[in-house]
Short mmCIF file of all heavy atoms in Angstrom, two decimals:
data_model
loop_
_atom_site.label_atom_id
_atom_site.label_comp_id
_atom_site.label_asym_id
_atom_site.label_seq_id
_atom_site.Cartn_x
_atom_site.Cartn_y
_atom_site.Cartn_z
N SER A 6 0.90 -1.21 -0.01
CA SER A 6 0.01 -0.01 0.01
C SER A 6 0.90 1.24 -0.04
O SER A 6 1.98 1.30 0.58
CB SER A 6 -0.89 -0.04 1.23
OG SER A 6 -1.88 1.04 1.15
N THR A 7 0.44 2.25 -0.67
CA THR A 7 1.19 3.58 -0.68
C THR A 7 0.22 4.74 -0.79
O THR A 7 -0.81 4.60 -1.42
CB THR A 7 2.11 3.57 -1.94
OG1 THR A 7 2.96 4.70 -1.87
CG2 THR A 7 1.36 3.56 -3.30
N ASP A 8 0.53 5.78 0.03
CA ASP A 8 -0.24 7.03 -0.01
C ASP A 8 -1.71 6.75 0.35
O ASP A 8 -2.63 7.23 -0.34
CB ASP A 8 -0.15 7.74 -1.31
CG ASP A 8 1.26 8.10 -1.72
OD1 ASP A 8 1.88 8.83 -0.81
OD2 ASP A 8 1.92 7.67 -2.73
N THR A 9 -1.95 5.98 1.46
CA THR A 9 -3.27 5.62 1.86
C THR A 9 -3.48 5.94 3.38
O THR A 9 -2.48 6.25 4.06
CB THR A 9 -3.58 4.17 1.56
OG1 THR A 9 -2.56 3.38 2.23
CG2 THR A 9 -3.53 3.80 0.08
N ASP A 10 -4.73 5.69 3.81
CA ASP A 10 -5.08 5.90 5.20
C ASP A 10 -5.78 4.59 5.64
O ASP A 10 -6.50 4.02 4.86
CB ASP A 10 -5.96 7.06 5.43
CG ASP A 10 -5.33 8.38 5.09
OD1 ASP A 10 -4.11 8.48 5.26
OD2 ASP A 10 -6.05 9.32 4.62
N ASN A 11 -5.64 4.28 6.92
CA ASN A 11 -6.50 3.28 7.48
C ASN A 11 -6.31 1.85 6.86
O ASN A 11 -7.19 1.28 6.20
CB ASN A 11 -8.00 3.68 7.48
CG ASN A 11 -8.22 5.12 8.03
OD1 ASN A 11 -7.61 5.46 8.99
ND2 ASN A 11 -9.17 5.75 7.41
N ILE A 12 -5.15 1.29 7.19
CA ILE A 12 -4.86 -0.12 6.61
C ILE A 12 -4.78 -1.05 7.87
O ILE A 12 -4.05 -0.71 8.72
CB ILE A 12 -3.52 -0.09 5.90
CG1 ILE A 12 -3.56 0.85 4.63
CG2 ILE A 12 -3.19 -1.53 5.48
CD1 ILE A 12 -4.59 0.49 3.65
N THR A 13 -5.63 -2.03 7.82
CA THR A 13 -5.68 -3.04 8.93
C THR A 13 -5.54 -4.50 8.40
O THR A 13 -6.15 -4.83 7.34
CB THR A 13 -6.96 -2.98 9.65
OG1 THR A 13 -7.11 -1.69 10.30
CG2 THR A 13 -7.03 -4.03 10.80
N ILE A 14 -4.63 -5.27 8.97
CA ILE A 14 -4.47 -6.67 8.68
C ILE A 14 -4.59 -7.43 10.08
O ILE A 14 -3.68 -7.10 10.91
CB ILE A 14 -3.20 -7.03 7.98
CG1 ILE A 14 -3.08 -6.17 6.68
CG2 ILE A 14 -3.14 -8.50 7.64
CD1 ILE A 14 -1.68 -6.22 6.05
N ASP A 15 -5.50 -8.21 10.27
CA ASP A 15 -5.57 -8.85 11.62
C ASP A 15 -6.21 -10.21 11.44
O ASP A 15 -6.68 -10.64 10.40
CB ASP A 15 -6.36 -8.00 12.55
CG ASP A 15 -7.81 -7.70 12.15
OD1 ASP A 15 -8.29 -8.33 11.26
OD2 ASP A 15 -8.48 -6.78 12.79
N GLY A 16 -6.36 -10.86 12.59
CA GLY A 16 -6.94 -12.25 12.61
C GLY A 16 -5.94 -13.34 12.86
O GLY A 16 -4.74 -13.12 12.56
N PRO A 17 -6.39 -14.52 13.18
CA PRO A 17 -5.47 -15.57 13.62
C PRO A 17 -4.92 -16.45 12.49
O PRO A 17 -4.72 -17.59 12.63
CB PRO A 17 -6.25 -16.41 14.61
CG PRO A 17 -7.68 -16.29 14.06
CD PRO A 17 -7.77 -14.81 13.45
N GLY A 18 -4.76 -15.81 11.28
CA GLY A 18 -4.28 -16.63 10.09
C GLY A 18 -2.82 -16.57 9.91
O GLY A 18 -2.06 -16.11 10.77
N ARG A 19 -2.34 -16.96 8.76
CA ARG A 19 -0.95 -17.12 8.39
C ARG A 19 -0.69 -16.53 7.00
O ARG A 19 -1.46 -16.66 6.05
CB ARG A 19 -0.48 -18.55 8.44
CG ARG A 19 -0.65 -19.23 9.78
CD ARG A 19 -0.36 -20.78 9.63
NE ARG A 19 1.02 -21.02 9.12
CZ ARG A 19 2.08 -21.07 9.81
NH1 ARG A 19 2.04 -20.84 11.17
NH2 ARG A 19 3.25 -21.36 9.29
N ILE A 20 0.50 -15.90 6.90
CA ILE A 20 1.07 -15.64 5.61
C ILE A 20 2.26 -16.59 5.44
O ILE A 20 3.24 -16.52 6.19
CB ILE A 20 1.67 -14.14 5.55
CG1 ILE A 20 0.41 -13.18 5.59
CG2 ILE A 20 2.34 -13.99 4.23
CD1 ILE A 20 0.78 -11.80 5.66
N GLU A 21 2.10 -17.52 4.53
CA GLU A 21 3.20 -18.53 4.24
C GLU A 21 3.93 -18.19 3.03
O GLU A 21 3.40 -18.09 1.92
CB GLU A 21 2.57 -19.88 4.22
CG GLU A 21 1.97 -20.38 5.41
CD GLU A 21 1.60 -21.85 5.47
OE1 GLU A 21 1.65 -22.47 4.30
OE2 GLU A 21 1.29 -22.37 6.55
N CYS A 22 5.20 -17.89 3.15
CA CYS A 22 6.01 -17.49 1.99
C CYS A 22 6.64 -18.58 1.28
O CYS A 22 6.93 -18.50 0.02
CB CYS A 22 7.11 -16.52 2.56
SG CYS A 22 6.42 -15.06 3.52
N ASP A 23 6.78 -19.77 1.97
CA ASP A 23 7.28 -20.99 1.30
C ASP A 23 8.52 -20.79 0.46
O ASP A 23 8.58 -21.18 -0.72
CB ASP A 23 6.14 -21.55 0.50
CG ASP A 23 6.26 -23.06 0.15
OD1 ASP A 23 7.05 -23.67 0.85
OD2 ASP A 23 5.78 -23.51 -0.84
N ARG A 24 9.49 -20.05 1.09
CA ARG A 24 10.79 -19.75 0.33
C ARG A 24 11.91 -20.46 1.10
O ARG A 24 11.74 -20.73 2.29
CB ARG A 24 10.99 -18.25 0.27
CG ARG A 24 9.95 -17.54 -0.49
CD ARG A 24 9.95 -17.89 -1.96
NE ARG A 24 8.97 -17.14 -2.70
CZ ARG A 24 9.19 -16.12 -3.56
NH1 ARG A 24 10.42 -15.80 -3.79
NH2 ARG A 24 8.15 -15.56 -4.26
N ALA A 25 12.95 -20.80 0.32
CA ALA A 25 14.09 -21.54 0.88
C ALA A 25 15.29 -20.64 1.10
O ALA A 25 16.24 -21.17 1.68
CB ALA A 25 14.43 -22.65 -0.07
N GLN A 26 15.21 -19.41 0.65
CA GLN A 26 16.44 -18.54 0.90
C GLN A 26 15.99 -17.02 0.77
O GLN A 26 14.86 -16.74 0.42
CB GLN A 26 17.48 -18.90 -0.16
CG GLN A 26 17.01 -18.55 -1.60
CD GLN A 26 18.04 -18.95 -2.59
OE1 GLN A 26 19.12 -19.42 -2.29
NE2 GLN A 26 17.75 -18.73 -3.85
N ARG A 27 16.96 -16.16 1.10
CA ARG A 27 16.64 -14.74 1.13
C ARG A 27 16.62 -14.23 -0.36
O ARG A 27 17.33 -14.66 -1.23
CB ARG A 27 17.80 -14.05 1.83
CG ARG A 27 17.59 -12.55 2.04
CD ARG A 27 18.57 -12.07 2.95
NE ARG A 27 18.40 -10.63 3.25
CZ ARG A 27 18.83 -9.98 4.34
NH1 ARG A 27 19.52 -10.63 5.27
NH2 ARG A 27 18.61 -8.72 4.52
N GLY A 28 15.69 -13.28 -0.52
CA GLY A 28 15.54 -12.62 -1.85
C GLY A 28 14.19 -12.86 -2.43
O GLY A 28 13.69 -13.98 -2.52
N GLY A 29 13.50 -11.80 -2.75
CA GLY A 29 12.14 -11.84 -3.34
C GLY A 29 11.24 -10.81 -2.73
O GLY A 29 11.69 -9.82 -2.11
N PRO A 30 9.93 -11.04 -2.86
CA PRO A 30 9.04 -10.01 -2.35
C PRO A 30 8.98 -9.94 -0.85
O PRO A 30 9.18 -10.87 -0.08
CB PRO A 30 7.60 -10.60 -2.89
CG PRO A 30 7.94 -11.62 -3.89
CD PRO A 30 9.32 -12.17 -3.49
N LYS A 31 8.63 -8.67 -0.39
CA LYS A 31 8.32 -8.54 1.03
C LYS A 31 6.94 -8.97 1.29
O LYS A 31 6.01 -8.72 0.49
CB LYS A 31 8.45 -7.01 1.35
CG LYS A 31 9.80 -6.44 1.21
CD LYS A 31 9.86 -4.95 1.61
CE LYS A 31 11.23 -4.43 1.53
NZ LYS A 31 11.22 -2.92 1.84
N PRO A 32 6.63 -9.69 2.45
CA PRO A 32 5.27 -10.00 2.69
C PRO A 32 4.38 -8.80 2.89
O PRO A 32 3.29 -8.84 2.39
CB PRO A 32 5.45 -10.77 4.00
CG PRO A 32 6.76 -11.38 3.92
CD PRO A 32 7.66 -10.33 3.31
N ILE A 33 4.83 -7.81 3.74
CA ILE A 33 4.00 -6.64 3.89
C ILE A 33 4.99 -5.43 3.70
O ILE A 33 6.00 -5.27 4.35
CB ILE A 33 3.44 -6.60 5.28
CG1 ILE A 33 2.48 -7.79 5.46
CG2 ILE A 33 2.69 -5.26 5.62
CD1 ILE A 33 1.97 -7.90 6.91
N ALA A 34 4.54 -4.53 2.76
CA ALA A 34 5.36 -3.32 2.50
C ALA A 34 4.38 -2.15 2.40
O ALA A 34 3.55 -2.07 1.53
CB ALA A 34 6.14 -3.47 1.22
N LEU A 35 4.55 -1.19 3.22
CA LEU A 35 3.66 0.07 3.36
C LEU A 35 4.53 1.30 3.25
O LEU A 35 5.39 1.43 4.01
CB LEU A 35 2.81 -0.03 4.62
CG LEU A 35 2.02 -1.31 5.01
CD1 LEU A 35 1.31 -1.18 6.30
CD2 LEU A 35 1.08 -1.70 3.88
N ARG A 36 4.11 2.19 2.32
CA ARG A 36 4.76 3.36 2.06
C ARG A 36 3.95 4.63 2.18
O ARG A 36 2.84 4.72 1.58
CB ARG A 36 5.40 3.28 0.67
CG ARG A 36 6.28 4.50 0.32
CD ARG A 36 6.97 4.30 -1.09
NE ARG A 36 5.94 4.14 -2.09
CZ ARG A 36 6.19 3.60 -3.34
NH1 ARG A 36 7.42 3.07 -3.61
NH2 ARG A 36 5.20 3.48 -4.23
N ARG A 37 4.24 5.51 3.11
CA ARG A 37 3.44 6.69 3.30
C ARG A 37 2.02 6.42 3.56
O ARG A 37 1.04 6.88 2.92
CB ARG A 37 3.59 7.69 2.02
CG ARG A 37 5.01 8.23 1.80
CD ARG A 37 4.94 9.34 0.75
NE ARG A 37 4.47 8.79 -0.60
CZ ARG A 37 5.34 8.33 -1.44
NH1 ARG A 37 6.67 8.31 -1.31
NH2 ARG A 37 4.79 7.87 -2.62
N VAL A 38 1.83 5.58 4.59
CA VAL A 38 0.52 5.21 5.05
C VAL A 38 0.25 5.80 6.42
O VAL A 38 1.13 5.67 7.30
CB VAL A 38 0.32 3.66 5.00
CG1 VAL A 38 -1.00 3.27 5.61
CG2 VAL A 38 0.52 3.11 3.58
N ARG A 39 -1.00 6.20 6.66
CA ARG A 39 -1.32 6.72 8.02
C ARG A 39 -2.42 5.83 8.64
O ARG A 39 -3.36 5.38 7.93
CB ARG A 39 -1.99 8.13 7.94
CG ARG A 39 -0.98 9.14 7.39
CD ARG A 39 -1.44 10.58 7.61
NE ARG A 39 -2.78 10.70 6.96
CZ ARG A 39 -3.56 11.79 7.13
NH1 ARG A 39 -3.13 12.87 7.91
NH2 ARG A 39 -4.79 11.88 6.59
N ASN A 40 -2.24 5.54 9.84
CA ASN A 40 -3.22 4.76 10.66
C ASN A 40 -3.16 3.23 10.24
O ASN A 40 -3.93 2.80 9.49
CB ASN A 40 -4.59 5.26 10.54
CG ASN A 40 -5.52 4.79 11.65
OD1 ASN A 40 -5.00 4.28 12.67
ND2 ASN A 40 -6.85 4.81 11.42
N ILE A 41 -2.17 2.55 10.76
CA ILE A 41 -1.89 1.13 10.40
C ILE A 41 -2.16 0.26 11.63
O ILE A 41 -1.67 0.63 12.77
CB ILE A 41 -0.48 0.99 9.93
CG1 ILE A 41 -0.25 1.83 8.67
CG2 ILE A 41 -0.10 -0.53 9.72
CD1 ILE A 41 1.27 1.96 8.34
N HIS A 42 -2.92 -0.85 11.42
CA HIS A 42 -3.02 -1.77 12.43
C HIS A 42 -2.69 -3.23 11.89
O HIS A 42 -3.30 -3.68 11.01
CB HIS A 42 -4.45 -1.87 12.97
CG HIS A 42 -4.91 -0.59 13.62
ND1 HIS A 42 -4.70 -0.36 14.99
CD2 HIS A 42 -5.44 0.52 13.19
CE1 HIS A 42 -5.13 0.91 15.32
NE2 HIS A 42 -5.57 1.45 14.18
N LEU A 43 -1.65 -3.84 12.55
CA LEU A 43 -1.25 -5.19 12.09
C LEU A 43 -1.25 -6.04 13.33
O LEU A 43 -0.47 -5.85 14.29
CB LEU A 43 0.18 -5.20 11.47
CG LEU A 43 0.46 -4.19 10.31
CD1 LEU A 43 1.89 -4.23 9.91
CD2 LEU A 43 -0.48 -4.50 9.16
N ASN A 44 -2.16 -6.97 13.49
CA ASN A 44 -2.34 -7.66 14.71
C ASN A 44 -2.80 -9.12 14.51
O ASN A 44 -3.66 -9.50 13.77
CB ASN A 44 -3.49 -6.96 15.48
CG ASN A 44 -3.24 -5.45 15.76
OD1 ASN A 44 -3.72 -4.65 15.08
ND2 ASN A 44 -2.39 -5.16 16.79
N GLY A 45 -2.04 -10.01 15.34
CA GLY A 45 -2.54 -11.32 15.57
C GLY A 45 -2.27 -12.48 14.64
O GLY A 45 -2.69 -13.52 14.85
N PHE A 46 -1.46 -12.21 13.61
CA PHE A 46 -1.19 -13.27 12.60
C PHE A 46 0.23 -13.68 12.57
O PHE A 46 1.11 -13.14 13.21
CB PHE A 46 -1.72 -12.88 11.19
CG PHE A 46 -1.10 -11.52 10.75
CD1 PHE A 46 0.04 -11.51 10.01
CD2 PHE A 46 -1.75 -10.36 10.97
CE1 PHE A 46 0.59 -10.41 9.56
CE2 PHE A 46 -1.20 -9.17 10.54
CZ PHE A 46 -0.02 -9.11 9.77
N THR A 47 0.46 -14.72 11.82
CA THR A 47 1.85 -15.29 11.62
C THR A 47 2.42 -15.00 10.19
O THR A 47 1.64 -15.04 9.30
CB THR A 47 1.77 -16.85 11.88
OG1 THR A 47 1.39 -17.05 13.27
CG2 THR A 47 3.17 -17.46 11.55
N ILE A 48 3.66 -14.76 10.16
CA ILE A 48 4.40 -14.68 8.87
C ILE A 48 5.52 -15.68 8.88
O ILE A 48 6.34 -15.59 9.70
CB ILE A 48 4.96 -13.26 8.57
CG1 ILE A 48 3.80 -12.23 8.61
CG2 ILE A 48 5.68 -13.27 7.21
CD1 ILE A 48 4.37 -10.75 8.49
N ASP A 49 5.55 -16.63 7.97
CA ASP A 49 6.59 -17.76 8.02
C ASP A 49 7.40 -17.73 6.82
O ASP A 49 6.94 -17.55 5.70
CB ASP A 49 5.80 -19.12 8.12
CG ASP A 49 6.76 -20.20 8.28
OD1 ASP A 49 7.59 -20.18 9.17
OD2 ASP A 49 6.72 -21.17 7.53
N GLN A 50 8.78 -17.91 7.04
CA GLN A 50 9.76 -17.99 6.04
C GLN A 50 9.75 -16.76 5.02
O GLN A 50 9.89 -16.88 3.83
CB GLN A 50 9.54 -19.23 5.19
CG GLN A 50 9.89 -20.55 5.97
CD GLN A 50 9.96 -21.79 5.12
OE1 GLN A 50 8.86 -22.11 4.50
NE2 GLN A 50 11.03 -22.45 5.07
#
């Protein structure tokens, strides 16, 4: 997300990246965002 307001990601789920090494996309990347809530989930690999 970029140049936005009010971004929320929450709940008891998972982001599974399923990667074996460093390099590639970021799971969560926010640029110039106001009012962010990231709560309660898992990010793996």
Side-chain angles (χ1 to χ4, degrees):
S6 190
T7 187
D8 298 303
T9 56
D10 296 327
N11 308 323
I12 299 297
T13 298
I14 306 170
D15 62 10
R19 295 172 59 84
I20 296 174
E21 291 190 351
C22 305
D23 200 22
R24 299 295 179 107
Q26 61 185 4
R27 184 168 184 161
K31 295 177 177 178
I33 299 174
L35 307 179
R36 182 176 62 198
R37 295 189 298 268
V38 176
R39 297 191 308 173
N40 195 21
I41 297 167
H42 296 271
L43 307 176
N44 301 100
F46 54 91
T47 294
I48 304 174
D49 184 53
Q50 289 188 302

